[in-house]
Amino acid sequence: MMSSSFSSCRFADYFVVCGLDTDTGLEPDELSALYRYIQAAKLRDGATRMSASENKGENFEQSPLRRTFKSKVLAHYPENVEWSPFDQDAVGMLCMPKGLSFRTQADPREPQFHSFIITREDGSRSYGFALTFYEEVTSKQICSAMQTLYHMHNAEQYDILHMPSAGPPASLQRFNSYDITRDTLYVSKCICLLAPMAFQQACRKVLEQLHQAITSSQPPPLPLESYIFNVLYEVPLPPAGRSLKFSGVYSPVVCQRPSTSELPLFDFPLSDVFQLLGVENVLQLFTCALLEFQILLYSQHYQRLMTVAESITALMFPFQWQHVYVPILPASLQHFLDAPVPYLMGLHSNGQDDRSKLELPQEANLCFVDIDNHFIELPEDLPQFPSKLEFVQEISEALLAFGIPPEGSSCCGDGVPKLTGFRSCDEVSDRRNGNLAGSPFNSFRLKDNETIARLQALVKRTGISLEKLGGVDNPTANRDQKVQCEEDELQTHLLNVRLREIFANRFTQMFADYEVFVIQSNQDKDSWFSNRDQMQNFDKASFLSDQPEPYLPFLSRFLETQTFASFIDSKILCHDDEDKEHTLQVFDTRVDKVRMLNVRTPTLRTSMYQKCTNIDESEKAIEMRVSKIDHTALHPHLLDMKIGQGRYEPGFFPRLQSDVLSSGPTGNKWAKRSTAAHWRLRDKQRQHVEQLYLDNEQKHIQEARSLGASIRQPNLSNLSPSVIAQTNWKFVEGLLKECRNKTKRMLVEKMGREAVELGHGEGSITGVEENTLIASLCDLLERIWSHGLQVKQGKSALWSHLLHYQESKEKDTPAGLSPPGLIHDSERRKSDAGLALPPLKVSLIEDMRHIQNIGEIKTDVGKARAWVRLSMEKKLLSRHLKQLLSDEELTKKLYKRYAFLRCDDEKEQFLYHLLSFNAVDYFCFTSVFTTVLIPYHVVVIPSKKLGGSMFTANPWICISGELSETVVLQVPKNSLEITFECQNLGKLTTVQVGHDNSGLYAKWLVECVMVRNEVTGHTYKFPCGRWLGKGVDDGSLERILVGELVTPTSENEERLCRTPPMQQSPSMIRRLVTISPSSKPKLNTGQIQEAVGEAINGIVKHFHKPEKERSSLSLLLCGEYGLVWALEQVFLHGFRTPRLFKNVFIWDFLERAQAHFESPEQRELEQDENWHTRAHDFCRFMRAVNSTPRNIGKDGKFQMLVCLGARDHLLHHWIALLSECPITVQMYEDTAMIKDRVLVNSLIRVLQTLQDFNITLEASLTKGIGI
């Protein structure tokens, strides 16, 4: 292994020539032709109806010069190297992805450069750099064959034109575009270097100079074999942190490699990407890559595809793309777009088809980037990258300093652009001459860009003058030393490192304290790998709780990605610095610097934007390397060639002499160094190999974590049907595994305390995180439904399937009948006996109709997600999907045989995993669609014993939820039932119920109120058990009731449901205490103290939760065992028994206390100022409650007073005041709790804890109060 490692430090592994094999002649490119045939068949089968004229683009009707023919690898040197086996099929396919193309002297024949990447099964990579040019065809057989093809083609076209149905004759000039007697025929040929590292600029120079040598009128100084031998065998890779110069055919070539403390090697021009797409689009694409959406790049130019793909993945530092990565997807592999996994692929465009004609299997989670047209199509619900505005500003400043407009420009070539550093003097001169606008931001037509417009506003607020921007230090203005490379090459290096440092700095700032939250495993590595899927490796909840609010939508989703998980895995496996892979080592060093800086100026956990500060250091390192070359390779020299070899023929790339190129020298200058130098180089090489190839542990991580690790790079060598079937089977297995892991993760997060007991970290789950997990489940369902589609019919494959199902069932069901699969809610959930709510219709189609009726949801993807959320909230997702897939005829019609949905065993397991969601309660529809109109059904249930059939008054009701409340709704007194529609109320909290006291018998005993959300099926019960009427109970005409979600009572469902129910109104028994005091259950002082403590503790816990997790405070104040009930027990303890049949309420005592405090005698007594303030506040609140226009009765008034006292932190003052009031002596026994000084002091201390919290009361509790 050591020898192979040592050998792999060569600059290039192979030199390859591809082109036309004159021995085999013209062969159609069968795979490309097959793909086109399949596309044509799809069109004929009705996927898209097109006319005959529109079908002329097919391979069979194209002129022979536009057809693709098979190219072959004509030669490669050396034959093979052990550390990088030569893959002939892959190299041939990627060197000339379109196959051979022919031209005549009338066509443009400019040479084209592109690069590509080959990823092996072990994760290691080789980079290819290819230059394609045209050579004259000298073979008479080939020219004759082309002429024959044209004769056949012209005859076919003539027949078509003279058909009766044909339209006006088309131009005939293309029919005669090749004539053997007068035209010269040219064919494409490609020369390519395969290298272990991506020195793109250096390889491009080598190839261009080789091409220049064959097109020049003068022969090169040495035979081409000498230069190729030199670059293959005599040019080493530069060691880390060093530069290397070697000789091309006409000029020297310089390459430099970053040191181990710098960002990893990256040699593609980022300026091209920003010119092609603009800052805004690049940042959106970058966000999609981080969140692992499917990304499809689209361009006519292969090099653009490669540059954009490599740039985006490089900017992700320290994170690495973990999924399918094919920057150039050959036409024969387009079935890979069907992959139901995240991918980053590049698709070649022919420049003629527009976006609408591109048939993509799925688009719900797709980011489509049309590079040539400066256009990007984003998936729905894409969160914004943190501090996006400031980030865009910082990137724009860097681009402007090099003369690149931040919004991009459409005239970007494929070559390295000429970059210029702005000099202040030049800019002042230009402005004086009227060539430059006053502000660089105006000079690049940015007025239409929304982000840039906001940027300008931000800049004005911060006081930064953009007039000074032109004075940004020119990176090359103050250079003393002479650089050894071309100026534009250096500018590319400097802009690259500046932009990369800005991006890396964002992650360094965002994850500066990430190590604190890494959960280290105490298991050995083998155990760790085997249990990887069951373990948490990062404390996400705690990390997110430390982040600024605006960052959460992005960060909560990013922490769920495999990209982030693999990064943390590598951190756990690398216990010390020596073990760390290069990327992690560089990042951790930067994080340490930021943390040291933040000790002095703490800015962690704030959203304050911090610009990158280490750009100068990185730029200086590059300038040093290109100014002072560390190594110079051997010069090319004459080889031991036979006489007559190496002949030069202008315009033709020679047939190289394999005997001199097949093996390297037996010894050379850099192989014969001293032993010390040899081992130094070997040590450098060891570092390089570690950086270049994934070590065993890293490979383990890939196996343990990566979905579809073996399909990251499609197998280019073997495209047989069995291999394609095997690949699809891996997709199916991967989808099932992902489904299992996702459902498990969601259940563990949701099930609260049980999760903590099982050792799964935090018990709570934030609203943001829950939303993220459900969104990722929706993405997974879309990928499953997109796999193996026969014909794509909309952006959402799931919604498309649902619509087909709805259409077929509604066609089969006569009008007036219920749709199939209908179940009644009473069958599904057994509610409390005797409840008068009619059964709710529940079916897959019914839920679809609910979604279709929501006007706010415009897109198919949005409708599919809303339907999934609604089904989850109703605990019907698994049942609905089973119903959908039960229509096997429809599934067969829509899906190919290999599709996930047609693999019966996997489909059953998938539905079983989804069934586990029924164990928990989700409110994922209610909490997201907050503005939609929802129908509600209300039934008021009177007491059966004293039902009051003679009841004459007119009842009304008002319902409040966490999101809003209704107006007062009149309830028909005959039916006591009403259905109404209003904006989503959220989870229901309180109901106000009352009547107008009209008629002869205006007394009403209400048992409870039932309210049902007709879309989600959630039913709430609001217990009452009290009279409403004058002269009965406490004289109240209206009551505020606190609700409880009715939970299923069947044995099976009860066992599954672990989410605790919400608190309810005090029950009927407790409320009737005041009607017959003799029957009240006696609580002792210890029990009362405990009750008060529990009530206060509930409120304290409420405020310690993140705001989005908190439930309704009304439940904790007024619900069963809430604060109002606990204080009621305090005041009822030791209350003197009144005379028979006379009810005395706590409110009576409070009114007498108020009268005492307001009496003239008390005012004249000399008391301290605190006492007067407390007494004044108490009386003011009593008057306000008593003067409310609402008829809420004495208990209702007591409840209102306690709520107001809690809000204004006055309860402990009032308890102290009342305990010393003479009225207390008269109305309470000596053993009463309110008269025990020790117990009262204890109670006061407990109530004082509420002072730390800002209590906001629901409007329904304080309606009619002016304080």
Side-chain angles (χ1 to χ4, degrees):
M1 277 305 291
M2 190 63 92
S3 64
S4 74
S5 296
F6 180 64
S7 302
S8 68
C9 64
R10 297 191 329 208
F11 179 82
D13 289 333
Y14 295 97
F15 180 81
V16 185
V17 183
C18 295
L20 170 65
D21 186 348
T22 51
D23 296 336
T24 57
L26 286 182
E27 292 181 77
D29 189 346
E30 291 165 11
L31 287 166
S32 297
L34 176 66
Y35 176 72
R36 288 191 174 90
Y37 173 76
I38 292 166
Q39 292 297 94
K42 275 188 184 178
L43 297 172
R44 283 197 302 276
D45 289 345
T48 312
R49 300 294 176 197
M50 293 174 72
S51 65
S53 62
E54 286 174 303
N55 268 328
K56 282 181 186 170
E58 296 309 325
N59 205 39
F60 319 110
E61 295 176 8
Q62 282 185 326
S63 71
L65 280 182
R66 298 289 168 263
R67 295 180 193 171
T68 54
F69 297 92
K70 192 178 284 185
S71 67
K72 292 196 174 171
V73 174
L74 303 179
H76 68 277
Y77 310 100
E79 191 62 34
N80 204 39
V81 292
E82 58 179 301
W83 62 87
S84 176
F86 187 76
D87 186 339
Q88 183 150 322
D89 293 315
V91 172
M93 201 178 279
L94 290 167
C95 277
M96 303 184 86
K98 281 189 296 189
L100 292 174
S101 55
F102 287 87
R103 298 278 186 273
T104 66
Q105 76 283 351
D107 297 313
R109 302 187 307 280
E110 288 300 313
Q112 294 289 327
F113 172 82
H114 78 272
S115 44
F116 58 86
I117 191 168
I118 296 176
T119 308
R120 298 183 192 86
E121 285 187 9
D122 64 353
S124 61
R125 289 178 168 185
S126 275
Y127 290 88
F129 304 95
L131 186 74
T132 306
F133 53 91
Y134 286 87
E135 271 186 356
E136 186 180 334
V137 178
T138 53
S139 164
K140 287 187 174 146
Q141 291 94 329
I142 299 292
C143 294
S144 300
M146 185 60 72
Q147 182 76 69
T148 305
L149 286 172
Y150 260 101
H151 286 317
M152 292 165 63
H153 178 70
N154 289 349
E156 285 171 15
Q157 293 297 319
Y158 184 84
D159 290 343
I160 290 170
L161 282 174
H162 288 80
M163 283 170 64
S165 59
S171 169
L172 288 172
Q173 61 183 7
R174 58 176 273 199
F175 299 164
N176 301 305
S177 54
Y178 177 65
D179 184 338
I180 197 166
T181 58
R182 67 163 192 262
D183 290 324
T184 308
L185 190 64
Y186 294 87
V187 68
S188 55
K189 183 175 263 190
C190 172
I191 52 175
C192 168
L193 277 175
L194 289 181
M197 298 189 82
F199 289 107
Q200 188 237 191
Q201 296 187 59
C203 289
R204 182 171 189 157
K205 274 191 177 178
V206 170
L207 295 172
E208 284 175 344
Q209 289 187 37
L210 286 171
H211 178 252
Q212 189 185 340
I214 63 165
T215 52
S216 168
S217 56
Q218 294 296 319
L222 294 169
L224 292 188
E225 282 87 347
S226 295
Y227 300 103
I228 293 166
F229 182 90
N230 180 249
V231 80
L232 282 178
Y233 302 113
E234 297 176 328
V235 178
L237 277 172
R242 302 295 172 89
S243 53
L244 170 77
K245 181 156 80 173
F246 61 96
S247 301
V249 181
Y250 296 109
S251 61
V253 178
V254 174
C255 59
Q256 52 92 28
R257 184 172 160 195
S259 70
T260 50
S261 61
E262 295 175 68
L263 294 174
L265 172 68
F266 176 75
D267 202 39
F268 292 83
L270 280 172
S271 54
D272 279 17
V273 181
F274 283 93
Q275 280 186 297
L276 286 163
L277 294 174
V279 178
E280 178 80 18
N281 285 343
V282 170
L283 204 51
Q284 299 282 43
L285 172 56
F286 178 66
T287 307
C288 287
L290 289 168
L291 299 181
E292 299 184 336
F293 285 100
Q294 292 179 323
I295 297 171
L296 185 63
L297 310 175
Y298 192 60
S299 173
Q300 293 180 64
H301 307 276
Y302 292 115
Q303 184 57 12
R304 288 183 178 181
L305 295 173
M306 184 70 178
T307 302
V308 172
E310 284 289 289
S311 298
I312 290 300
T313 51
L315 291 175
M316 287 170 69
F317 171 90
F319 306 104
Q320 293 171 340
W321 179 259
Q322 296 293 318
H323 302 276
V324 176
Y325 182 68
V326 192
I328 295 173
L329 185 69
S332 53
L333 285 181
Q334 290 201 11
H335 62 274
F336 251 84
L337 292 173
D338 198 16
V341 291
Y343 59 66
L344 201 168
M345 297 200 213
L347 186 62
H348 185 260
S349 141
N350 61 14
Q352 295 163 358
D353 292 345
D354 60 12
R355 166 73 178 91
S356 61
K357 289 183 184 171
L358 192 62
E359 283 287 318
L360 298 174
Q362 57 164 318
E363 296 181 37
N365 306 309
L366 182 72
C367 171
F368 179 82
V369 186
D370 187 343
I371 298 172
D372 303 336
N373 294 313
H374 198 84
F375 167 75
I376 184 166
E377 202 174 283
L378 297 167
E380 292 187 21
D381 304 327
L382 183 70
Q384 187 164 292
F385 191 79
S387 303
K388 182 182 170 187
L389 198 60
E390 296 89 341
F391 192 27
V392 167
Q393 181 183 355
E394 189 177 8
I395 298 166
S396 300
E397 287 174 10
L399 291 169
L400 287 166
F402 284 80
I404 294 175
E407 88 287 9
S409 62
S410 54
C411 56
C412 175
D414 292 311
V416 179
K418 296 285 183 191
L419 302 177
T420 55
F422 274 8
R423 289 183 173 82
S424 317
C425 54
D426 296 342
E427 191 181 331
V428 170
S429 164
D430 275 348
R431 192 176 289 131
R432 197 183 299 121
N433 296 331
N435 297 331
L436 197 63
S439 159
F441 272 100
N442 294 326
S443 65
F444 293 111
R445 310 184 306 284
L446 298 181
K447 290 171 186 168
D448 296 335
N449 188 313
E450 184 190 341
T451 303
I452 301 293
R454 286 161 57 210
L455 241 170
Q456 288 175 306
L458 175 76
V459 165
K460 283 179 187 169
R461 287 204 305 277
T462 52
I464 300 168
S465 172
L466 286 179
E467 304 301 327
K468 298 173 188 170
L469 203 60
V472 172
D473 289 341
N474 171 27
T476 57
N478 303 318
R479 195 184 303 115
D480 300 327
Q481 298 150 306
K482 184 185 175 192
V483 294
Q484 301 287 315
C485 65
E486 293 174 19
E487 181 66 22
D488 60 345
E489 203 176 311
L490 175 62
Q491 292 288 344
T492 299
H493 286 313
L494 294 178
L495 177 57
N496 272 7
V497 81
R498 182 172 289 204
L499 290 169
R500 290 177 71 207
E501 288 288 0
I502 289 169
F503 274 80
N505 178 58
R506 281 290 79 230
F507 289 122
T508 312
Q509 299 291 342
M510 277 196 283
F511 292 96
D513 52 352
Y514 85 99
E515 288 182 80
V516 180
F517 302 99
V518 174
I519 302 169
Q520 290 290 352
S521 171
N522 52 8
Q523 299 176 324
D524 61 84
K525 285 187 181 177
D526 289 338
S527 307
W528 185 85
F529 282 123
S530 58
N531 297 317
R532 179 64 200 86
D533 288 336
Q534 283 78 44
M535 297 171 65
Q536 268 197 333
N537 61 0
F538 193 74
D539 187 353
K540 295 170 187 170
S542 301
F543 177 80
L544 289 172
S545 67
D546 274 2
Q547 302 307 310
E549 183 79 17
Y551 290 13
L552 294 181
F554 170 82
L555 282 176
S556 60
R557 290 179 75 163
F558 180 59
L559 297 192
E560 295 298 323
T561 61
Q562 201 169 304
T563 299
F564 183 76
S566 295
F567 172 74
I568 297 299
D569 283 351
S570 60
K571 177 72 180 172
I572 290 171
L573 287 172
C574 303
H575 296 298
D576 49 43
D577 286 346
E578 286 184 14
D579 288 344
K580 283 182 188 174
E581 59 170 354
H582 174 239
T583 308
L584 189 61
Q585 208 167 342
V586 174
F587 184 68
D588 281 353
T589 307
R590 286 158 183 254
V591 160
D592 291 342
K593 282 183 187 172
V594 168
R595 291 171 74 173
M596 283 173 66
L597 181 70
N598 281 315
V599 169
R600 295 194 292 277
T601 56
T603 54
L604 278 180
R605 300 183 183 85
T606 74
S607 50
M608 186 190 295
Y609 189 85
Q610 291 198 298
K611 284 192 171 184
C612 184
T613 54
N614 53 343
I615 292 174
D616 290 347
E617 189 184 326
S618 304
E619 288 182 344
K620 277 176 190 162
I622 290 173
E623 287 176 15
M624 283 289 290
R625 283 197 290 274
V626 295
S627 302
K628 181 174 175 291
I629 300 297
D630 298 300
H631 300 278
T632 303
L634 276 177
H635 289 285
H637 50 85
L638 274 170
L639 301 173
D640 186 14
M641 294 168 73
K642 294 170 187 169
I643 295 172
Q645 285 185 342
R647 279 185 187 163
Y648 172 74
E649 193 177 348
F652 292 92
F653 196 83
R655 189 185 288 266
L656 299 170
Q657 304 306 314
S658 57
D659 53 343
V660 293
L661 291 177
S662 58
S663 61
T666 50
N668 62 44
K669 181 177 146 188
W670 61 279
K672 283 185 174 176
R673 293 175 183 168
S674 67
T675 310
H678 172 86
W679 283 106
R680 267 204 309 278
L681 182 60
R682 188 166 290 191
D683 188 50
K684 295 272 185 191
Q685 181 54 33
R686 184 182 65 79
Q687 292 176 11
H688 158 62
V689 170
E690 284 172 1
Q691 180 182 339
L692 203 59
Y693 301 105
L694 294 169
D695 59 13
N696 285 336
E697 286 180 350
Q698 199 56 16
K699 199 162 82 174
H700 268 309
I701 294 171
Q702 304 305 338
E703 290 167 2
R705 295 290 304 172
S706 176
L707 167 64
S710 57
I711 50 169
R712 285 201 190 152
Q713 173 80 11
N715 184 348
L716 305 182
S717 311
N718 185 352
L719 290 170
S720 64
S722 62
V723 170
I724 292 173
Q726 189 180 358
T727 303
N728 275 305
W729 183 247
K730 284 177 182 169
F731 284 145
V732 169
E733 288 180 324
L735 285 170
L736 186 62
K737 182 181 176 186
E738 190 180 352
C739 178
R740 183 177 66 241
N741 292 341
K742 217 172 269 296
T743 49
K744 185 172 184 180
R745 163 104 169 86
M746 290 172 72
L747 287 171
V748 162
E749 287 290 359
K750 187 72 178 167
M751 291 179 74
R753 287 181 190 160
E754 287 175 281
V756 179
E757 287 163 14
L758 292 169
H760 290 290
E762 285 293 317
S764 60
I765 175 170
T766 65
V768 173
E769 197 172 350
E770 177 174 308
N771 214 22
T772 300
L773 292 171
I774 290 167
S776 72
L777 176 72
C778 293
D779 292 345
L780 172 64
L781 292 176
E782 282 293 357
R783 281 192 275 124
I784 287 173
W785 255 257
S786 300
H787 184 237
L789 262 180
Q790 296 274 19
V791 176
K792 177 186 158 292
Q793 302 205 341
K795 285 210 168 182
S796 167
L798 175 57
W799 190 250
S800 172
H801 194 168
L802 285 166
L803 288 174
H804 277 104
Y805 179 83
Q806 183 182 27
E807 186 185 348
S808 68
K809 296 305 171 193
E810 287 179 347
K811 203 183 290 178
D812 298 343
T813 308
L817 288 182
S818 298
L822 183 75
I823 48 172
H824 288 299
D825 200 46
S826 55
E827 297 169 29
R828 191 167 70 90
R829 279 183 188 172
K830 296 174 185 169
S831 299
D832 293 13
L835 299 186
L837 279 170
L840 182 68
K841 288 181 181 178
V842 178
S843 77
L844 184 158
I845 290 175
E846 198 70 34
D847 285 346
M848 281 186 70
R849 286 179 187 145
H850 286 313
I851 302 303
Q852 287 163 330
N853 291 337
I854 299 174
E856 288 90 335
I857 307 173
K858 309 289 185 193
T859 65
D860 285 356
V861 174
K863 287 172 183 171
R865 291 185 174 195
W867 183 84
V868 170
R869 285 175 176 276
L870 178 58
S871 301
M872 281 191 74
E873 187 160 326
K874 297 176 84 164
K875 301 190 179 185
L876 288 170
L877 182 61
S878 181
R879 179 178 288 197
H880 278 350
L881 293 178
K882 188 174 184 179
Q883 182 76 30
L884 176 67
L885 297 171
S886 65
D887 188 340
E888 292 183 8
E889 285 303 311
L890 179 62
T891 310
K892 282 179 184 174
K893 181 180 158 191
L894 295 177
Y895 289 92
K896 296 169 188 166
R897 182 63 196 90
Y898 65 76
F900 182 94
L901 297 178
R902 290 188 62 187
C903 299
D904 293 338
D905 290 348
E906 284 68 28
K907 183 176 71 179
E908 285 302 316
Q909 288 182 58
F910 158 70
L911 293 170
Y912 178 75
H913 289 312
L914 294 185
L915 188 63
S916 60
F917 285 134
N918 292 6
V920 292
D921 294 329
Y922 279 104
F923 287 88
C924 48
F925 179 85
T926 304
S927 60
V928 169
F929 298 98
T930 54
T931 58
V932 301
L933 288 175
I934 301 280
Y936 291 91
H937 190 87
V938 182
V939 178
V940 182
I941 300 172
S943 170
K944 288 178 183 173
K945 293 178 184 174
L946 303 163
S949 53
M950 301 178 290
F951 177 57
T952 56
N954 299 301
W956 56 264
I957 199 163
C958 180
I959 303 166
S960 301
E962 290 182 355
L963 298 175
S964 62
E965 70 173 4
T966 65
V967 295
V968 171
L969 303 163
Q970 299 299 322
V971 182
K973 59 186 169 191
N974 300 327
S975 64
L976 295 180
E977 198 167 339
I978 181 175
T979 300
F980 65 94
E981 196 173 59
C982 70
Q983 188 172 305
N984 187 358
L985 300 172
K987 292 181 194 174
L988 303 189
T989 50
T990 59
V991 157
Q992 299 161 64
V993 61
H995 61 78
D996 63 358
N997 200 36
S998 61
L1000 296 172
Y1001 190 75
K1003 295 179 176 65
W1004 192 27
L1005 180 58
V1006 176
E1007 187 176 314
C1008 66
V1009 177
M1010 304 294 296
V1011 183
R1012 183 172 66 206
N1013 179 321
E1014 295 290 277
V1015 172
T1016 65
H1018 286 317
T1019 304
Y1020 295 83
K1021 181 180 180 181
F1022 296 85
C1024 179
R1026 303 289 299 271
W1027 283 95
L1028 283 85
K1030 291 286 182 187
V1032 64
D1033 203 335
D1034 64 345
S1036 172
L1037 293 183
E1038 63 179 91
R1039 298 203 182 274
I1040 300 168
L1041 312 177
V1042 180
E1044 165 197 20
L1045 184 64
V1046 176
T1047 52
T1049 53
S1050 70
E1051 190 180 327
N1052 293 339
E1053 290 186 277
E1054 189 65 62
R1055 193 175 69 247
L1056 281 173
C1057 188
R1058 304 292 176 86
T1059 309
M1062 292 194 289
Q1063 290 170 295
Q1064 57 189 33
S1065 295
S1067 65
M1068 184 169 163
I1069 296 169
R1070 202 265 300 169
R1071 281 299 190 188
L1072 290 172
V1073 162
T1074 47
I1075 297 174
S1076 57
S1078 58
S1079 66
K1080 68 186 176 190
K1082 305 270 186 186
L1083 290 184
N1084 60 39
T1085 53
Q1087 290 170 323
I1088 295 171
Q1089 276 183 301
E1090 190 179 336
V1092 174
E1094 284 293 319
I1096 297 291
N1097 197 27
I1099 295 170
V1100 171
K1101 281 182 181 175
H1102 169 88
F1103 283 102
H1104 278 292
K1105 288 180 184 174
E1107 197 167 338
K1108 290 186 178 177
E1109 287 182 52
R1110 297 174 187 172
S1111 56
S1112 169
L1113 191 58
S1114 303
L1115 304 172
L1116 300 171
L1117 292 171
C1118 309
E1120 190 166 29
Y1121 309 120
L1123 183 62
V1124 172
W1125 174 82
L1127 289 180
E1128 197 173 89
Q1129 302 312 305
V1130 170
F1131 283 108
L1132 286 175
H1133 187 262
F1135 208 39
R1136 289 189 190 275
T1137 308
R1139 294 193 308 275
L1140 202 58
F1141 303 123
K1142 179 172 181 186
N1143 295 337
V1144 178
F1145 295 87
I1146 297 168
W1147 192 252
D1148 297 327
F1149 158 67
L1150 294 176
E1151 283 184 322
R1152 288 184 60 184
Q1154 176 198 354
H1156 169 75
F1157 293 136
E1158 288 179 334
S1159 64
E1161 299 84 24
Q1162 282 300 113
R1163 288 180 185 170
E1164 289 167 10
L1165 285 174
E1166 287 192 13
Q1167 299 274 11
D1168 62 24
E1169 195 174 332
N1170 277 344
W1171 186 91
H1172 280 296
T1173 305
R1174 291 171 187 173
H1176 173 72
D1177 282 342
F1178 175 73
C1179 295
R1180 183 164 62 92
F1181 276 84
M1182 287 290 295
R1183 284 195 300 275
V1185 173
N1186 263 326
S1187 59
T1188 176
R1190 298 169 66 186
N1191 294 297
I1192 52 176
K1194 293 179 178 179
D1195 278 354
K1197 289 176 180 178
F1198 174 73
Q1199 178 173 289
M1200 189 180 281
L1201 183 72
V1202 171
C1203 290
L1204 292 169
R1207 183 194 71 183
D1208 293 359
H1209 307 128
L1210 296 171
L1211 288 178
H1212 59 285
H1213 292 319
W1214 294 349
I1215 294 287
L1217 193 71
L1218 292 168
S1219 67
E1220 296 172 358
C1221 177
I1223 303 297
T1224 308
V1225 178
Q1226 298 168 21
M1227 296 190 71
Y1228 281 88
E1229 307 282 355
D1230 291 340
T1231 56
M1233 186 173 176
I1234 195 79
K1235 291 169 84 171
D1236 187 320
R1237 188 171 294 277
V1238 175
L1239 293 177
V1240 167
N1241 286 340
S1242 170
L1243 180 62
I1244 288 169
R1245 281 196 300 275
V1246 171
L1247 289 170
Q1248 279 175 329
T1249 57
L1250 294 180
Q1251 286 180 286
D1252 299 335
F1253 308 112
N1254 181 23
I1255 293 174
T1256 305
L1257 298 178
E1258 209 174 295
S1260 61
L1261 298 177
T1262 57
K1263 203 178 280 182
I1265 292 287
I1267 296 180

